Amino acid sequence: MIHLLFIVIIGFIVIMQTSIPYLLKRTIAFGVSIPEGHTDDPSIASYKKIYAIVSSIVGIAGLIAYVSWMSGRSLSGEKVVLAGLFIQFSILFVSMALYLYFHAKVIQLKRAKQWGANLKQVRIVDLEARAKDEMLPSYLYIIPMLITIGLMIYTGTQYHLMPERIPTHWGPNGQPDAFTEKTPFSVIATLLIALIIQAMMLMINVFTKKSGIRIRATKRQTSQIQQLSFRKYTSWFLFLTTVLITTLFGFLQVTTIHAELENAMLMMAAPLVFLVIILLATAAYAFKVGQSGSRIEVQVEDDAITGITDFDDDRFWKFGVFYMNKNDPSIFVEKRFGIGWTINFGNPIGYLILFVPILLILAISFLV
Amino acid sequence: MMLIRIEPDSEIPIYLQLTHELIELMARGKLKDGDPLPSVRSFAADLGVNMHTVNKAYHELERKQFIQIIPKSGAIVSSISNDMAQFHHERITTALQPVIAEALVIGMSDREIKAVVSSIMKDLRGE
């Protein structure tokens, strides 16, 4: 079981790493903004190709090594997990090294050829864009939280019926493999973690809605439709994740309270179904939407505008990956190499939203 | 689309560029009396500039009575009172003087200057 889980995850990572250069918009290459007129540069196209080919070769080699190492042996689950994680991190590490190499190459190219030197840098805002934003309303994220709180209350009413040993960890087969004593705190610890994750998702939705709506200076209508689609589908994806997490945690809690409902088949299938849905949704999202919605087809033709290009904000992007701009009130901004949101490290609220929940979850895990 | 365009690297401060762009939208009739302006936070986020910059632009426009800032609810476009119109009239005349003087020094004729003015007005009126 665990073998299959890891093979699926590694296979997924390989596919994503290989296709990433083709899911990104043309105005940014390897974390470097590309001025108008150079977005179809053949050197950049060849860098993307090399990145994809090397990523796929390394990934497939890693996958083959993993499968052949496991086949015909009876290995402990722990070894399979460790080796699986090792392969995953190795693949990601190689991708990161490749990224940094090409990031430096593109910076060099842009500087040597003085791209954009004779273009005026502008930033365009449409005052009507906010009214067209279709991200999900934040109150929707309260519903999963209410479900979790309801389950906590229900757990309280069932306290005397619960077993003396409360599961705190579940193995890949869906069976609990670590337990703790029954206390009023330990019986709701799992739900508390769920609640913290749900609160974090709520905050992400609240603050991503407030983040800047950026449009491309020379493709105003097209880029706006794509940007608004990106925002909409990303908020759907976030909500789907929240629903899945709520379902999984709720399921674990209900089976803990009612041992008679425990069903080995169902327990085993739950995490797998969870994983498969998440991976399929991620792939559908990445390939349908793409960075800034660049893969969404738009039937609008923008008038040709020359002499201008988007404001070059490379100076705020460390290594083309970490955004640090104290002036920008956006707490989340769109990723430059990847699809989705990343935080503005120049704004302390972003740190709070991501790190406070992680610290709280760690604290709960240690206390239980 | 109701577009605002700024040049972050220009010598003209961004807050001034913003006031110019907003007044131009009013001149074009795209922003009308009573229309709300975006909140300072969301406008600054869309522009990728400091909130103080947008705030400064709004206060500048409020000082000239082009907009009204209603505490806790936001800024709306407002009509200019008669007193204020008189004040603006003088201010605009003073502001135009050096520009027209420059035009005369470089040798532009009356007709050329008038042609420039009417072409700008045509553009703003969308003719």
Side-chain angles (χ1 to χ4, degrees), chain A residues 37-338:
Chain A
H38 304 282
T39 48
D40 294 324
D41 187 84
S43 305
I44 293 179
S46 76
Y47 294 166
K48 287 185 174 180
K49 206 168 180 180
I50 297 171
Y51 180 94
I53 292 172
V54 176
S55 287
S56 62
I57 291 174
V58 170
I60 291 167
L63 199 58
I64 291 173
Y66 187 53
V67 173
S68 55
W69 173 72
M70 288 190 303
S71 63
R73 294 181 206 214
S74 62
L75 295 155
S76 69
E78 200 174 328
K79 271 191 176 164
V80 171
V81 170
L82 277 178
L85 288 176
F86 175 75
I87 300 273
Q88 277 178 32
F89 282 112
S90 307
I91 293 172
L92 291 175
F93 183 78
V94 170
S95 296
M96 209 161 70
L98 271 177
Y99 164 81
L100 285 174
Y101 174 72
F102 286 120
H103 174 68
K105 290 281 269 188
V106 176
I107 290 180
Q108 225 173 37
L109 193 67
K110 182 176 169 181
R111 200 174 291 152
K113 297 201 173 168
Q114 296 192 317
W115 283 350
N118 49 6
L119 295 175
K120 199 174 263 178
Q121 293 183 17
V122 301
R123 185 156 267 167
I124 307 272
V125 171
D126 176 13
L127 296 189
E128 292 168 327
R130 291 271 157 194
K132 297 181 214 157
D133 200 16
E134 292 180 290
M135 291 177 78
L136 291 175
S138 294
Y139 66 78
L140 266 184
Y141 287 80
I142 306 280
I143 299 168
M145 296 176 79
L146 292 178
I147 293 173
T148 306
I149 293 170
L151 272 173
M152 281 181 184
I153 295 169
Y154 179 68
T155 307
T157 65
Q158 303 296 310
Y159 185 71
H160 59 286
L161 293 173
M162 290 176 72
E164 287 309 309
R165 290 191 332 155
I166 301 297
T168 55
H169 187 267
W170 286 261
N173 58 357
Q175 294 294 333
D177 56 7
F179 297 88
T180 187
E181 251 176 78
K182 176 163 107 174
T183 65
F185 176 64
S186 72
V187 295
I188 56 160
T190 311
L191 293 177
L192 273 177
I193 291 175
L195 195 62
I196 292 165
I197 297 174
Q198 291 162 340
M200 181 173 82
M201 296 299 205
L202 167 69
M203 296 316 273
I204 292 176
N205 197 63
V206 167
F207 286 104
T208 49
K209 275 179 89 132
K210 289 187 182 175
S211 71
I213 300 178
R214 297 284 156 83
I215 55 178
R216 181 170 165 187
T218 56
K219 294 240 188 284
R220 295 159 189 189
Q221 296 181 45
T222 315
S223 66
Q224 186 182 60
I225 295 170
Q226 291 177 334
Q227 166 84 165
L228 293 175
S229 308
F230 161 79
R231 292 169 71 95
K232 178 171 80 176
Y233 293 126
T234 308
S235 82
W236 287 11
F237 182 69
L238 186 73
F239 191 66
L240 174 75
T241 313
T242 313
V243 169
L244 285 173
I245 288 172
T246 308
T247 316
L248 187 67
F249 278 78
F251 172 75
L252 291 175
Q253 185 72 4
V254 170
T255 51
T256 302
I257 300 173
H258 298 288
E260 70 275 12
L261 289 179
E262 256 181 55
N263 172 323
M265 237 356 242
L266 197 61
M267 297 289 276
M268 198 160 88
L272 196 66
V273 169
F274 177 86
L275 179 75
V276 167
I277 298 178
I278 287 271
L279 294 187
L280 285 179
T282 308
Y285 165 73
F287 285 92
K288 283 288 285 188
V289 180
Q291 186 184 32
S292 304
S294 56
R295 291 178 68 86
I296 288 177
E297 289 224 24
V298 178
Q299 303 298 342
V300 178
E301 200 62 51
D302 277 290
D303 300 333
I305 305 171
T306 52
I308 57 169
T309 191
D310 284 312
F311 175 62
D312 187 331
D313 52 3
D314 285 359
R315 70 198 85 163
F316 302 121
W317 287 90
K318 311 289 168 229
F319 306 108
V321 181
F322 304 107
Y323 184 66
M324 192 156 200
N325 183 354
K326 283 195 178 69
N327 282 329
D328 188 346
S330 297
I331 287 157
F332 288 92
V333 288
E334 248 193 89
K335 271 188 196 165
R336 275 208 150 183
F337 193 71

Side-chain angles (χ1 to χ4, degrees), chain B residues 64-67 78-86 88:
Chain B
K64 292 181 176 169
Q65 286 191 9
F66 285 110
I67 66 167
S78 73
S79 53
I80 306 280
S81 68
N82 282 339
D83 301 356
M84 204 59 191
Q86 182 59 34
H88 277 308

